[in-house]
Amino acid sequence: MTDDVRLRDVVQTDLEVFLAQEHDPEAVRRSRFPARPRERFLDHWRTRILGDPTVHVQTIMVGDEVAGNLVAWWEGERRFIGYWMGRAFWGRGLGTLALGLFLRQEKTRPLYADPFHGNTASVRLLERLGFQREGTVQHGEDEHIMLVLRG
């Protein structure tokens, strides 16, 4: 595997990889995002992500491997981004490279992200790319940091 990072459109076979990544116990712990059952996960991806023309989504490729995904979507008047990478790709700067590529494609500003406060690697990644803290938000019982990219 090389560290050649690129983005491409999502294909159906990527969804099985994304599902496995969402079910990684450490990823669930860090993100505070509960893993969904297979059919609910696939339905969400097919209808709410791939089926919504306002959603911008890309598969992260590292060499020839599917490393994860990047998504931008609307919540009311705010455009949010989110990303998920498989654990084998953590800690090598690949997320920073991939998100940097994605931000060149996704031109909407301001752009929001709200990672779980305990996911310090994700918060640092976003801050490295210019996102600034603007407070916190609650998702259930969990505090998340609201980050905004303005420029």
Side-chain angles (χ1 to χ4, degrees), residues 114-132:
D114 60 350
F116 174 61
H117 79 90
N119 190 348
T120 56
S122 188
V123 173
R124 282 194 312 265
L125 183 157
L126 290 158
E127 289 176 332
R128 256 192 311 278
L129 291 169
F131 283 78
Q132 297 180 341

Side-chain angles (χ1 to χ4, degrees), residues 24-148:
D24 180 291
E26 181 61 14
V28 170
R29 186 188 72 74
R30 288 184 185 204
S31 68
R32 301 297 286 185
F33 187 87
R36 293 168 284 201
R38 184 178 191 280
E39 287 309 312
R40 202 165 108 221
F41 174 90
L42 293 174
D43 182 60
H44 173 80
W45 267 87
R46 289 177 180 141
T47 60
R48 301 211 36 216
I49 298 176
L50 298 174
D52 183 342
T54 69
V55 171
H56 177 200
V57 59
Q58 294 282 277
T59 294
I60 303 166
M61 297 295 298
V62 175
D64 294 329
E65 294 188 58
V66 173
N69 64 77
L70 294 143
V71 183
W73 70 96
W74 289 101
E75 282 187 24
E77 299 294 315
R78 291 181 170 180
R79 184 84 164 159
F80 276 83
I81 62 157
Y83 47 88
W84 202 281
M85 290 187 70
R87 194 185 328 184
F89 303 95
W90 295 357
R92 297 171 27 206
L94 303 172
T96 302
L97 293 171
L99 187 53
L101 292 172
F102 189 75
L103 291 174
R104 289 186 206 128
Q105 295 177 5
E106 177 59 49
K107 304 289 187 186
T108 304
R109 303 293 186 272
L111 193 57
Y112 295 83
D114 60 350
F116 174 61
H117 79 90
N119 190 348
T120 56
S122 188
V123 173
R124 282 194 312 265
L125 183 157
L126 290 158
E127 289 176 332
R128 256 192 311 278
L129 291 169
F131 283 78
Q132 297 180 341
R133 294 178 190 228
E134 289 212 348
T136 60
V137 293
Q138 288 293 125
H139 292 293
E141 297 179 11
D142 295 323
E143 181 178 80
H144 291 244
I145 297 173
M146 182 61 72
L147 295 156
V148 182

